[in-house]
Amino acid sequence: MPVPHRRPDVPPPLGVTVHNGTADVSVLAAHADAVELCLFDEEGAERRVPLSRNAYGIWWDVIEGVRPGQRYGFRVHGPWAPEQGHRHNPAKLLQDPYAGAIVGEVRWGSEVFGHAVDDGWNGDGAVRDDRDSAAYVPRSVIVDHGAFDWGDDRSPARPWTESVIYEAHVRGLTMQHPGVPEEIRGTYAALGHPAVVKHLRGMGVTTLELLPIHAFTHEPHLVRGGLTNYWGYNTLGFFAPQADYAAAQDPQGVVDELKGAIKALHAAGIEVILDVVYNHTCEQGNDSGATLSWRGLDNATYYRLDGRGRDIDVTGCGNTVDLRQPMVAKMVLDSLRHWVTEFHIDGFRFDLAPALARGRDDAYDPDHAFHVALRTDPVLSRVMLIAEPWDVGVHGWRTGQFPPPFAEWNDRFRDTVRTFWLPDTARALGGETGHGGRELATRFAGSADLYSGGDRGPIASINFVTAHDGFTLADTTAYEQKHNEANLEDNRDGHGDNRSWNHGVEGHTDDPEILAARRRSVRNLLATNLLATGVPMITAGDEFGRTQDGNNNAYCQDNEISWLDWGSADLDLVATTTRLLELRRAHPALSPTEFQTFDAVPGRVRLRWFDTNGEVLTESQWSDPGLRTLVALFESDHEADAVIVVLHGGLDEVTIRLPEPERAWALSWSSAWERPQDPEPVGEQAQVPGSSVAILSPAKR
């Protein structure tokens, strides 16, 4: 249907919209007295154009002679009243929150702060600094999104039940990939390179989840220490891609290069989702942070403040974006739609998601207006929406409490699986009793205790045992203590509760028995993750044994600590990962949309748990903290499918009397195998080695 004409007294869309050499320029600055558009020519000379119109807190105008490629920014005049939350300072050049591209870096110095600071860039935020910041900050850039030829590109739009998510960093994934040309390693262009696509498709990955690619900058303390924010959770622009992830040098080329990578991945049947950070910005540090964009435009609107004009922090970063404000929520929604419509992104993982839905009383509200908007938006309600369901505010842990259609990172799954296979195994070696198998069974079956409400189903559970934040999979079996000295924070940063076990030696060892035991543990963790009901997520490099040498918080390590070392990849582990995902696809009973039933129900997956004697587990057995062997039989009449999964956490070999012995079963895979083997027929019993996973499928007749 045709788009209605805009009334002349209604502001145009926020940002800069170009029409044949003229531009509608619009920016939210609700408490400002005046706003100037700052245009920069090729030599960097600045021309200031006052925006003449103002309504609803938005300043706008029509500017002649503005075209794609134009560098620009804003200066805002208004009250300097920190106790009321107002920090306007026209000496500071500000980024457009809606900029489609950003060129240049923040050159950290006292000039980028709106208030006076000392040589250590510290200050109480009270006294205004009137030095011009233009020479020290990036420029917003107008780009032409219509210039890229998408051809017949379309999203693979896979069902959740088929999804396998691979969490990766643009640079880290390809910086050392031998199959990628050196000149494009670590870039968007490398993401769509055939060598990368071949690896992902070969394993069975369906969805590539990228760590933040929104334009970001580096925290002052990292710059002082010679480090950078490698992960990118420090956003400078919600509509612009990070420029230094591109091989291209010009802003338009950066945008087009990213689109080209997404188009190539889509052509290979791989979806692309983004890890997005809307809970805070790079102006972090409470009210003493830098003035780069939102703080100078309208601090009292964009950020959650207390009654004294001070930032309220539920993110751990010193500032929280205030989505209680309708126009701020609109900015986030506009950003999300921008990435879907202009970049063909297939979904999002929301960092510290409860911070986005805290209401007027600061409590998390599943019916918050932002959630309602996402759930009802005709574009955003159709893409993958994944919550990191915790923040650092009061009552910030909200796993299982997000509304549909959100899926969630399931930290209960991570902690349970790691505890069962690692610390509890270590306790058993010392003669102690662990936590038992009941919790593991609940997680393996899809976490119905968390996700049965609201008709969410097991596909709401994103199952993972590692992520970018924490130990790698290999390191969970080699380290019990974090080793973050390279982060220059005296090893104070990072998690202390790692649910790991070093198998007797901390870190590197040449002991063949310890190395074999570690590899077995890795396979146990990997199998439990990839075969459990729900949606599995793999952290890049875990499929071939990547290590960070015990660093469990490598957010500032843009080097070999974080980059995938393809040259030392364990190819047997890659083959194992591939085989496990083949088994997942071969047995759709492992991936139901609804929770399983105990009794046979037409169209539903039936799940029963057995003991080693082939008898259904009793309540007293479930309550036994010494329960270390679980035998699960999944059956689906709809798919004519059946599979047995044995999770044996005991130290010694055990004989399993198989349920339904009238069927002929074959051992399809065992974590005791160093590499995949051909299926082995078994009789009514199966011998399962100590501390291992076994998968049995109906034998071919």
Side-chain angles (χ1 to χ4, degrees), residues 308-330:
R308 299 174 297 166
R310 305 292 298 273
D311 286 310
I312 294 173
D313 180 16
V314 298
T315 68
C317 297
N319 60 348
T320 303
V321 175
D322 193 354
L323 271 75
R324 299 172 303 178
Q325 300 287 344
M327 294 302 292
V328 179
K330 171 180 167 54

Side-chain angles (χ1 to χ4, degrees), residues 201-496:
R201 281 178 55 88
M203 277 194 300
V205 167
T206 69
T207 307
L208 177 62
E209 178 180 320
L210 297 175
L211 266 67
I213 64 169
H214 286 176
F216 63 88
T217 188
H218 311 290
E219 293 93 327
H221 78 275
L222 293 178
V223 174
R224 284 185 173 276
L227 300 172
T228 62
N229 187 320
Y230 170 69
W231 287 348
Y233 291 87
N234 201 41
T235 308
L236 179 61
F238 293 124
F239 293 75
Q242 178 71 359
D244 65 5
Y245 287 173
Q249 298 299 306
D250 66 289
Q252 185 69 51
V254 171
V255 169
D256 292 346
E257 182 179 320
L258 174 56
K259 291 179 179 181
I262 295 167
K263 182 178 178 180
L265 289 162
H266 280 177
I270 298 173
E271 298 170 300
V272 181
I273 63 178
L274 302 183
D275 190 336
V276 287
V277 189
Y278 294 111
N279 56 79
H280 73 281
T281 76
C282 65
E283 296 177 321
Q284 58 179 280
N286 294 309
D287 51 299
S288 60
T291 297
L292 302 171
S293 179
W294 307 271
R295 178 162 282 137
L297 286 165
D298 195 351
N299 185 63
T301 296
Y302 282 111
Y303 294 121
R304 187 182 291 260
L305 306 178
D306 63 18
R308 299 174 297 166
R310 305 292 298 273
D311 286 310
I312 294 173
D313 180 16
V314 298
T315 68
C317 297
N319 60 348
T320 303
V321 175
D322 193 354
L323 271 75
R324 299 172 303 178
Q325 300 287 344
M327 294 302 292
V328 179
K330 171 180 167 54
M331 175 187 69
V332 174
L333 293 165
D334 286 347
S335 169
L336 293 167
R337 279 189 292 266
H338 172 79
W339 288 97
V340 175
T341 58
E342 300 294 355
F343 288 89
H344 294 198
I345 289 297
D346 302 291
F348 304 94
R349 179 264 190 190
F350 294 88
D351 180 63
L352 302 182
L356 306 178
R358 286 182 175 268
R360 297 291 171 185
D361 59 357
D362 285 330
Y364 170 72
D365 179 5
D367 293 322
H368 189 282
F370 177 65
H371 281 349
V372 173
L374 279 177
R375 298 173 69 183
T376 58
D377 187 279
V379 173
L380 300 178
S381 63
R382 308 304 299 172
V383 302
M384 301 175 78
L385 302 175
I386 302 171
E388 181 185 41
W390 53 83
D391 66 17
V392 301
V394 176
H395 305 300
W397 185 80
R398 294 290 173 175
T399 303
Q401 299 174 44
F402 275 70
F406 274 101
E408 301 175 22
W409 274 22
N410 188 348
D411 56 319
R412 287 276 295 274
F413 181 95
R414 174 200 63 201
D415 293 349
T416 299
V417 172
R418 283 164 68 156
T419 299
F420 183 87
W421 290 115
L422 298 173
D424 276 359
T425 300
R427 292 187 187 97
L429 285 169
E432 300 179 38
T433 300
H435 295 82
R438 185 172 200 147
E439 177 81 359
L440 180 66
T442 300
R443 303 298 144 231
F444 194 84
S447 297
D449 58 331
L450 298 175
Y451 302 113
S452 59
D455 293 328
R456 299 181 72 190
I459 56 176
S461 178
I462 305 297
N463 297 332
F464 69 107
V465 290
T466 67
H468 66 276
D469 186 2
F471 281 150
T472 68
L473 187 61
D475 284 356
T476 65
T477 70
Y479 296 90
E480 292 184 8
Q481 306 298 324
K482 60 186 179 180
H483 296 268
N484 299 351
E485 290 79 9
N487 299 350
L488 305 183
E489 297 182 41
D490 296 325
N491 207 34
R492 295 188 304 270
D493 62 303
H495 296 298

Side-chain angles (χ1 to χ4, degrees), residues 456-669:
R456 299 181 72 190
I459 56 176
S461 178
I462 305 297
N463 297 332
F464 69 107
V465 290
T466 67
H468 66 276
D469 186 2
F471 281 150
T472 68
L473 187 61
D475 284 356
T476 65
T477 70
Y479 296 90
E480 292 184 8
Q481 306 298 324
K482 60 186 179 180
H483 296 268
N484 299 351
E485 290 79 9
N487 299 350
L488 305 183
E489 297 182 41
D490 296 325
N491 207 34
R492 295 188 304 270
D493 62 303
H495 296 298
D497 180 13
N498 292 293
R499 311 291 177 101
S500 60
W501 176 38
N502 63 20
H503 292 74
V505 174
E506 185 77 356
H508 296 280
T509 180
D510 295 324
D511 188 311
E513 292 187 5
I514 292 177
L515 292 173
R518 288 177 176 177
R519 290 194 299 271
R520 171 86 64 91
S521 291
V522 164
R523 294 191 293 271
N524 288 337
L525 292 162
L526 196 60
T528 309
N529 186 34
L530 298 185
L531 298 178
T533 297
V535 179
M537 184 182 82
I538 307 169
T539 305
D542 279 352
E543 75 275 16
F544 58 64
R546 182 176 77 94
T547 179
Q548 291 182 167
D549 296 326
N551 192 321
N552 76 349
N553 188 37
Y555 78 103
C556 55
Q557 300 298 328
D558 188 3
N559 50 47
E560 289 82 358
I561 292 175
S562 295
W563 301 340
L564 273 63
D565 183 2
W566 295 87
S568 64
D570 181 342
L571 298 182
D572 287 338
L573 188 55
V574 175
T576 291
T577 304
T578 302
R579 177 60 178 149
L580 288 169
L581 289 175
E582 287 174 349
L583 286 169
R584 184 179 183 88
R585 292 192 299 274
H587 294 291
L590 295 171
S591 306
T593 58
E594 300 176 277
F595 286 106
Q596 309 92 334
T597 64
F598 180 85
D599 298 312
V601 176
R604 294 280 297 277
V605 171
R606 186 185 190 195
L607 169 61
R608 289 170 291 166
W609 295 94
F610 298 87
D611 62 16
T612 56
N613 295 316
E615 301 293 334
V616 172
L617 283 167
T618 65
E619 181 58 35
S620 63
Q621 288 175 306
W622 279 121
S623 301
D624 182 0
L627 177 64
R628 297 287 292 162
T629 306
L630 298 165
V631 181
L633 173 59
F634 292 83
E635 298 175 284
S636 172
D637 59 357
H638 177 68
E639 302 285 352
D641 182 35
V643 60
I644 294 173
V645 179
V646 181
L647 306 170
H648 176 45
L651 300 178
D652 300 321
E653 182 179 83
V654 65
T655 300
I656 304 292
R657 182 173 295 278
L658 300 178
E660 301 199 4
E662 65 276 8
R663 299 193 189 197
W665 295 97
L667 180 64
S668 296
W669 183 83

